[in-house]
Amino acid sequence: QAAMVIIDHTTGRVVATVGGLGEKNTARGLNRATQSTRQTGSSIKPLADVLPGVEEGIVTPATIYADLATTFGKDYEPQNYNKFTGLRTVRTAVTTSQNIPFVKIMAELTPQKSIEYMRKMGISSLVTAKENKEHNDENLALAIGGMTYGVSPLEMAAAYATVANDGTYIEPTF
């Protein structure tokens, strides 16, 4: 199954959505595009790390990070899906989706600040320690898409529409 949402970023109007394939299950009534949350993986990096990092003056597209095996805290050792690549600018780290530079950005930015920005972009599924002591997203894994609940396609589309709309969030409407 898959889901998709397309938003006109200037108006917030949802112009297309697909919430699943096959015969419509009216009894269940699940629309994956609006009701299901999933882990975002690397697609969260611009929203969670780059945009808040730029806005807070932590990074520019030309900021250089070492993409090398790194241990954060006592035991968090994120890996790349591909090899470590050495010195990389933020711009080039995005193009090959390296993980270490973005975890380093998150460490400087803080997960709390990242959550603050993402909530302003309409992502409501994030959880803080204050809201839930057992499960929360206030950790460095947030930088690369590690979340308690994930994000719905509708909220991801709205967050990216915020970027396209020069930082102004418009609540999606159907």
Side-chain angles (χ1 to χ4, degrees):
Q1 292 291 333
M4 173 193 72
V5 174
I6 300 172
I7 294 178
D8 178 344
H9 72 279
T10 62
T11 65
R13 290 190 181 111
V14 176
V15 296
T17 183
V18 173
L21 300 172
E23 189 174 322
K24 186 175 181 181
N25 182 346
T26 55
R28 187 167 169 204
L30 176 67
N31 183 322
R32 286 173 182 81
T34 60
Q35 298 169 308
S36 292
T37 58
R38 295 288 182 262
Q39 297 300 320
T40 63
S42 293
S43 66
I44 203 68
K45 291 173 183 175
L47 302 174
D49 309 313
V50 178
L51 297 174
V54 167
E55 196 65 27
E56 292 292 314
I58 293 169
V59 298
T60 71
T63 302
I64 296 173
Y65 285 96
D67 179 41
L68 303 170
T70 305
T71 301
F72 297 88
K74 293 180 183 178
D75 61 357
Y76 181 49
E77 298 178 4
Q79 301 296 309
N80 290 325
Y81 78 94
N82 56 9
K83 63 184 170 113
F84 294 110
T85 58
L87 296 178
R88 300 295 299 266
T89 64
V90 171
R91 178 182 290 115
T92 61
V94 168
T95 63
T96 57
S97 195
Q98 302 308 116
N99 286 334
I100 303 304
F102 298 101
V103 178
K104 289 179 177 181
I105 293 170
M106 181 67 71
E108 293 178 62
L109 177 66
T110 76
Q112 295 80 5
K113 185 58 80 171
S114 178
I115 289 170
E116 179 184 320
Y117 274 89
M118 287 192 288
R119 284 184 169 169
K120 289 178 184 178
M121 291 184 266
I123 298 176
S124 65
S125 55
L126 296 162
V127 181
T128 64
K130 184 177 178 182
E131 298 160 350
N132 186 330
K133 301 268 186 246
E134 198 170 314
H135 303 286
N136 74 75
D137 297 316
E138 293 176 309
N139 59 69
L140 295 180
L142 177 62
I144 56 176
M147 300 176 194
T148 302
Y149 300 112
V151 179
S152 73
L154 178 64
E155 288 190 352
M156 279 296 280
Y160 272 100
T162 301
V163 176
N165 202 29
D166 294 326
T168 301
Y169 172 76
I170 300 174
E171 186 174 349
T173 56
F174 285 82

